[in-house]
Amino acid sequence: MKWLPPFVLGLWGAVLLQAWGSGRLNLLLQTDFHWLVLVSGLLLLALAGLAARFAPKRRSGRTPALVMLLAAPLVLLIPPRPSFSTLAANRSSGALEGENETLTFLSPPEQRSLTDWVRLLRSEPDPELYRGDPVRISGFVMPTPQAAPVLARLTVRCCLADATPVGIPVIWPEGESLKADEWLAVSGEMGVERVGGVLRSVVIADSVQPIPKPKRPFEP
């Protein structure tokens, strides 16, 4: 079975290229790093060709190659379906990159993404500064203990392993049915509420519309 190692190398090269071309990497890896997967897939295909051309006469240790051979179809057949709300609940809401820097440019309120709002509120936390500002944001529903669900996003510097949740509290329309991981587009205005004696900004939602999960759900 001298063909087995070259075949496995080529198969995994094809798996990486399929992941790169199909868009599934958007659920696992920041866009800036997708080219690494492309290069790795091409290198594996090249190594498979070299291994087939210059195969040694003696071979041993077929078990690892067989395991990799069986694993490759599973990777292709079982696409990643991470639960963003579960992942966010098990991660601390750490500092956003650049949040301590002075914000020298502020886009109009209705053009700010959820992450833009989080950065702004952490940089200038006085909620009275934003009372009445129009809000148009999107994100997934993240349940919170003993409180209304928040609208959240995951910020990723490299891959899903370092994902950090960021969220904004929302006053939802009365009777609104919310499901964890459901993606919503929310329109309304920024308001102020008192929690534990402290004022904070909160989105007062006027319109809540279900939307498909974005092809690129992570934010940098």
Side-chain angles (χ1 to χ4, degrees):
M1 298 179 69
K2 64 179 182 179
W3 55 267
L4 182 59
F7 178 76
V8 170
L9 285 174
L11 180 60
W12 273 98
V15 168
L16 293 182
L17 293 180
Q18 192 275 341
W20 174 79
S22 66
R24 69 164 56 192
L25 288 181
N26 293 323
L27 296 176
L28 300 171
L29 194 65
Q30 181 59 268
T31 306
D32 293 343
F33 299 95
H34 286 191
W35 67 272
L36 292 173
V37 177
L38 171 62
V39 171
S40 298
L42 294 174
L43 286 176
L44 285 177
L45 289 177
L47 288 174
L50 291 174
R53 176 66 178 83
F54 303 103
K57 296 181 179 180
R58 293 184 179 180
R59 293 198 174 273
S60 60
R62 295 175 181 173
T63 301
L66 288 173
V67 171
M68 294 180 66
L69 178 63
L70 295 175
L74 296 178
V75 174
L76 289 173
L77 295 174
I78 305 176
R81 294 189 180 95
S83 170
F84 284 4
S85 62
T86 301
L87 178 64
N90 291 281
R91 299 286 178 87
S92 61
S93 183
L96 286 174
E97 184 176 356
E99 74 170 60
N100 294 322
E101 299 175 3
T102 302
L103 299 180
T104 56
F105 174 79
L106 298 179
S107 58
E110 62 274 12
Q111 295 181 12
R112 296 171 192 158
S113 68
L114 188 151
T115 305
D116 291 335
W117 273 109
V118 171
R119 286 191 170 99
L120 180 60
L121 294 175
R122 290 184 179 182
S123 176
E124 296 288 346
D126 183 0
E128 293 294 343
L129 294 174
Y130 318 104
R131 186 193 290 266
D133 282 358
V135 177
R136 295 176 183 172
I137 55 178
S138 63
F140 63 90
V141 177
M142 183 175 75
T144 56
Q146 301 178 346
V150 302
L151 196 68
R153 283 276 193 168
L154 289 177
T155 62
V156 173
R157 295 183 181 181
C158 175
C159 60
L160 193 62
D162 65 25
T164 300
V166 294
I168 291 183
V170 179
I171 297 178
W172 303 96
E174 187 175 354
E176 185 70 34
S177 178
L178 302 172
K179 299 178 182 178
D181 283 326
E182 182 181 17
W183 282 82
L184 302 173
V186 175
S187 298
E189 66 177 26
M190 194 65 72
V192 178
E193 69 174 357
R194 186 179 296 273
V195 178
V198 178
L199 294 178
R200 70 173 185 177
S201 293
V202 60
V203 175
I204 303 174
D206 296 326
S207 172
V208 177
Q209 297 293 331
I211 59 173
K213 180 188 294 185
K215 291 183 178 180
R216 296 182 178 179
F218 301 134
E219 294 194 346

